[in-house]
């Protein structure tokens, strides 16, 4: 679809998914706020990830570590050295900056992709965000905002192991904010300086690392497919040795076909014993695992699945977006219009149910509709809407992915029943009000 990104950005703003941060001050460099629908949708993505990783799998526990950590963590992890730095060139004419990997490796001496000007020599640019703790901005109190959530997991390896009486293999999952001083943020929420990660670290015997690396990449691919992402828009790419992150023995990128090209939405890494052995070295605390049965003491290998809540949000939004010329209903008015349908999976859709009185100038219909709204509200995220013709309201709901609309009409008053309209098929069925909650629950869980 042509010019899809402006359409997505416009829909996101217009319908309350995503707003530019600090907009009344002209916005703030690639920062975004999730609006009323956006926060529901992002919470849903995080919940289905948590359900999948922590609830479904055996030997999996959760964690919520602090964003601020001892700066020693980042020395041990390699993030303060060149390992966590992007190579940057600057245009001598327009002064725009580019990552050399984005304009093509080995083309550092090529001309500026924007204005054709000369580029500077590449230099390394560390991505850690600095801040200060305490009242004095002196060097001693300088710390960093975490650049990845997983370090909180590694430094808690033994706390979790001992408190939960776990045995290898097992996993620790965590969702939380990370920060990177990206050189070239952009593509809407694809690359931002503040973002949310959904990470899982699987600790296993080195001999089993390959097996679990294969296992987890299949699981993660399935997760996106089961949530409705089209198969042809997903692929797994082996990261070439030159481009592998500093900690990884083997790395795969799970990529989505964005309108701006194939890009990573999740990384799957075999981190070997890089993290635990380095933390042991730097902290002086031996975090090798002791196997009671085999009497073996070793550093477990770590298989990591590292996804972004924001990047998958964008992928889900783009994948679900459809435009139907002339609309799906062939009324004379609708024929001229383009109808937008957001076919998000029911689990991810921000609002599950809409309650609509057929017309708003009949007090008895409005009263009944409000009663039904109150009946459903404790069970589902609901919206009440009485503004405009019923057809227009259905279209507004399709645009924000509401799976089911409940319409209260004159029959309702006589028969104590309502219609349920299905977003995707537009089919309508009448059901008794007394069965409504149960039926909707069944439909949403299907
Ligand atoms: P990229 O090459 O795009 O910078 P990366 O390889 O550095 O990404 P990882 O360190 O593997 O990314 O991070 C794991 C996941 O965290 C990514 O797949 C992505 O979903 C998310 N992520 C990383 N950086 C950002 C960012 N700046 N904005 C939004 N999400 C991000």
């Amino acid at each position: 679809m042509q010019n899809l990104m402006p359409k997505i950005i416009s829909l996101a703003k217009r319908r309350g998914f995503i707003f530019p941060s600090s907009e009344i001050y002209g916005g703030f460099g690639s920062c975004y706020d999730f609006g009323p629908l956006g926060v529901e949708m992002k919470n849903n993505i995080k919940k289905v990830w948590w359900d999948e990783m922590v609830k479904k799998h055996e030997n999996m526990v959760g964690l919520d570590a602090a964003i601020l950590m001892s700066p020693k963590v980042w020395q041990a992890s390699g993030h303060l050295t060149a390992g966590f730095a992007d190579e940057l060139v600057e245009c001598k004419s327009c002064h725009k900056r580019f990552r050399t990997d984005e304009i093509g490796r080995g083309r550092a001496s090529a001309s500026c992709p924007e204005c054709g000007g000369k580029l500077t020599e590449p230099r390394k640019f560390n991505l850690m965000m600095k801040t200060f703790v305490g009242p004095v901005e002196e060097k001693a109190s300088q710390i960093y905002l975490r650049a990845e959530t997983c370090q909180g997991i590694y430094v808690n390896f033994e706390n979790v192991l001992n408190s939960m009486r776990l045995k290898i293999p097992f996993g620790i999952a965590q969702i939380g904010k990370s920060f990177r001083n990206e050189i070239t943020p952009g593509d809407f929420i694809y690359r931002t300086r503040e973002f949310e990660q959904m990470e899982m670290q699987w600790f296993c015997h080195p001999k089993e690392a390959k097996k679990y690396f294969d296992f987890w990449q299949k699981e993660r691919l399935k997760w996106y497919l089961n949530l409705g992402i089209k198969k042809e828009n997903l692929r797994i790419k082996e990261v070439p040795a030159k481009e592998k992150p500093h900690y990884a023995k083997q790395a795969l990128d799970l990529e989505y076909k964005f309108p701006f090209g194939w890009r990573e939405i999740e990384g799957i890494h075999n981190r070997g014993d890089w993290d635990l052995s380095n933390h042991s070295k730097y902290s002086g605390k031996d975090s090798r695992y002791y196997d009671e049965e085999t009497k073996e003491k070793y550093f477990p290998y770590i298989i990591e699945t590292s996804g972004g809540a924001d990047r998958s949000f964008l992928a889900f939004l783009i994948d679900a977006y459809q435009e139907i010329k002339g609309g799906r209903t062939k009324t004379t008015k609708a024929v001229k219009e383009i109808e937008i349908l957001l076919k998000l999976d029911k689990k991810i859709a921000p609002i599950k149910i809409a309650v609509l009185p057929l017309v708003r100038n009949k007090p008895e219909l409005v009263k009944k509709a409000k009663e039904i709204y109150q009946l459903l509200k404790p069970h589902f995220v609901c919206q009440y809407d009485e503004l405009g013709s019923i057809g227009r309201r259905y279209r507004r709901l399709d645009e924000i992915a509401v799976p089911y609309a409940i319409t209260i009409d004159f029959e309702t008053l006589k028969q104590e029943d309502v219609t349920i309209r299905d977003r995707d098929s537009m089919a309508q069925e009448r059901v008794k009000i007394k069965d409504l909650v149960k039926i909707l629950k069944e439909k949403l869980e299907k």
Side-chain angles (χ1 to χ4, degrees):
M1 199 181 297
Q2 267 197 328
N3 297 326
L4 184 54
M5 281 314 288
K7 289 175 182 169
I8 294 285
I9 295 169
S10 152
L11 172 74
K13 164 114 195 271
R14 188 160 35 87
R15 303 308 312 271
F17 285 90
I18 300 169
F19 308 127
S21 161
S22 321
E23 200 185 6
I24 59 166
Y25 292 102
F28 185 67
S30 295
C31 293
Y32 293 94
D33 299 336
F34 288 82
L37 296 201
V39 65
E40 293 291 348
M41 177 166 157
K42 202 174 180 203
N43 282 344
N44 292 341
I45 293 172
K46 291 187 281 183
K47 182 175 182 309
V48 283
W49 184 87
W50 194 265
D51 285 350
E52 168 79 16
M53 302 303 276
V54 183
K55 278 166 87 177
K56 189 181 116 182
H57 290 285
E58 282 178 28
N59 284 358
M60 187 74 79
V61 293
L63 186 78
D64 184 11
I67 289 175
L68 305 181
M69 306 176 81
S70 163
K72 288 180 188 154
V73 169
W74 305 108
Q75 274 162 13
S77 70
H79 282 79
L80 295 182
T81 56
F84 191 60
D86 278 341
E87 233 177 39
L88 157 93
V89 288
E90 190 175 316
C91 172
K92 289 179 183 166
S93 309
C94 71
H95 298 289
K96 285 227 169 84
R97 289 171 166 189
F98 307 93
R99 280 165 50 168
T100 48
D101 63 341
E102 280 178 353
I103 57 171
R105 263 175 201 280
R107 288 188 47 212
S109 56
S111 48
C112 170
E114 300 264 321
C115 76
K118 270 198 155 182
L119 297 173
T120 58
E121 283 300 304
R123 70 179 172 88
K124 293 272 185 186
F125 183 84
N126 192 280
L127 302 179
M128 294 295 290
M129 286 260 208
K130 291 180 192 142
T131 188
F132 298 91
V133 283
V136 188
E137 282 195 15
E138 62 195 11
K139 196 141 197 308
S141 55
Q142 181 187 292
I143 59 159
Y144 302 90
L145 302 183
R146 68 180 175 200
E148 54 184 27
T149 56
C150 54
Q151 294 301 328
I153 294 182
Y154 308 141
V155 298
N156 275 299
F157 169 66
E158 275 179 286
N159 283 338
V160 174
L161 179 75
N162 297 332
S163 59
M164 303 306 288
R165 293 175 294 126
L166 291 162
K167 282 206 174 95
I168 282 206
F170 71 90
I172 305 178
Q174 177 169 226
I175 298 175
K177 290 251 173 158
S178 292
F179 302 82
R180 293 181 191 175
N181 201 4
E182 297 279 0
I183 304 165
T184 50
D187 293 319
F188 197 31
I189 57 167
Y190 178 79
R191 186 182 302 286
T192 50
R193 296 194 172 105
E194 170 181 348
F195 54 94
E196 217 161 352
Q197 291 187 305
M198 308 186 290
E199 295 198 304
M200 188 286 300
Q201 312 296 314
W202 185 254
F203 299 85
C204 63
H205 192 281
K207 282 196 182 131
E208 294 202 306
K210 169 87 184 74
K211 178 177 98 184
Y212 286 118
F213 188 72
D214 293 345
F215 172 79
W216 283 110
Q217 61 172 284
K218 289 196 189 102
E219 286 293 296
R220 295 307 303 144
L221 185 65
K222 249 193 299 176
W223 186 77
Y224 291 99
L225 292 171
N226 288 344
L227 289 170
I229 298 259
K230 295 175 201 82
K231 210 170 165 208
E232 63 271 24
N233 292 338
L234 278 178
R235 73 177 185 194
I236 287 187
K237 203 184 86 180
E238 177 98 35
V239 180
K242 273 195 305 194
E243 292 170 29
K244 264 188 329 204
H246 62 277
Y247 49 75
K249 279 191 174 309
Q250 199 181 354
L252 296 177
D253 284 349
L254 211 156
E255 295 188 330
Y256 178 73
K257 194 178 179 188
F258 287 99
F260 42 87
W262 284 98
R263 296 287 154 82
E264 171 185 341
I265 50 173
E266 177 155 346
I268 294 140
H269 308 125
N270 174 357
R271 297 180 72 122
D273 65 2
W274 167 269
D275 302 280
L276 291 183
S277 64
N278 271 325
H279 283 306
S280 289
K281 202 159 51 183
Y282 279 73
S283 68
K285 305 246 162 55
D286 185 359
S287 50
R288 279 178 300 169
Y289 174 78
Y290 180 66
D291 188 323
E292 303 275 358
E293 274 166 41
T294 62
K295 312 288 177 219
E296 194 187 355
K297 202 170 185 187
Y298 61 93
F299 284 118
Y301 270 26
I302 293 170
I303 306 302
E304 162 183 73
T305 67
S306 174
D310 314 79
R311 280 191 191 174
S312 51
F313 186 112
L314 186 58
F316 284 125
L317 204 58
I318 289 169
D319 218 70
Y321 185 92
Q322 291 182 14
E323 282 182 355
I324 300 121
K325 272 209 185 106
R328 291 191 293 170
T329 42
K330 302 294 167 203
T331 61
T332 39
K333 254 190 188 167
V335 167
K336 296 177 210 116
E337 294 174 15
I338 287 178
E339 204 175 290
I340 295 170
L341 173 64
L342 202 57
K343 241 177 155 177
L344 285 173
D345 186 277
K346 286 179 262 186
K347 291 196 193 78
I348 291 178
I351 291 170
K352 310 292 185 201
I353 311 288
V355 179
L356 320 169
L358 186 63
V359 288
R360 72 170 168 146
N361 57 1
K362 296 283 175 213
E364 61 279 29
L365 276 192
V366 169
K367 182 167 171 276
K368 193 71 184 168
K370 286 194 172 158
E371 270 172 37
I372 290 172
Y373 176 59
Q374 291 305 330
L375 170 78
L376 300 180
K377 222 175 157 331
H379 302 278
F380 315 100
V381 180
C382 291
Q383 190 176 71
Y384 175 83
D385 189 2
E386 58 178 30
L387 284 183
S389 75
I390 194 77
R392 281 211 179 276
R393 276 181 280 165
Y394 285 150
R395 257 171 282 149
R396 275 207 302 264
L397 297 174
D398 291 342
E399 202 182 32
I400 56 166
V402 179
Y404 299 108
I406 311 300
T407 309
I408 289 86
D409 55 19
F410 294 103
E411 299 290 294
T412 306
L413 302 177
K414 287 185 242 152
Q415 297 170 190
E416 282 293 305
D417 61 9
V418 291
T419 58
I420 303 180
R421 176 199 184 256
D422 181 295
R423 176 195 70 196
D424 299 338
S425 66
M426 296 191 299
Q428 305 207 7
E429 65 177 299
R430 284 202 91 86
V431 306
K432 290 286 174 202
I433 295 172
K434 66 175 175 45
D435 302 325
L436 192 55
V437 171
K438 184 170 154 275
I439 290 172
L440 288 174
K441 277 192 177 160
E442 281 166 7
K443 282 182 182 292
L444 285 166
E445 268 155 32
K446 236 189 237 167

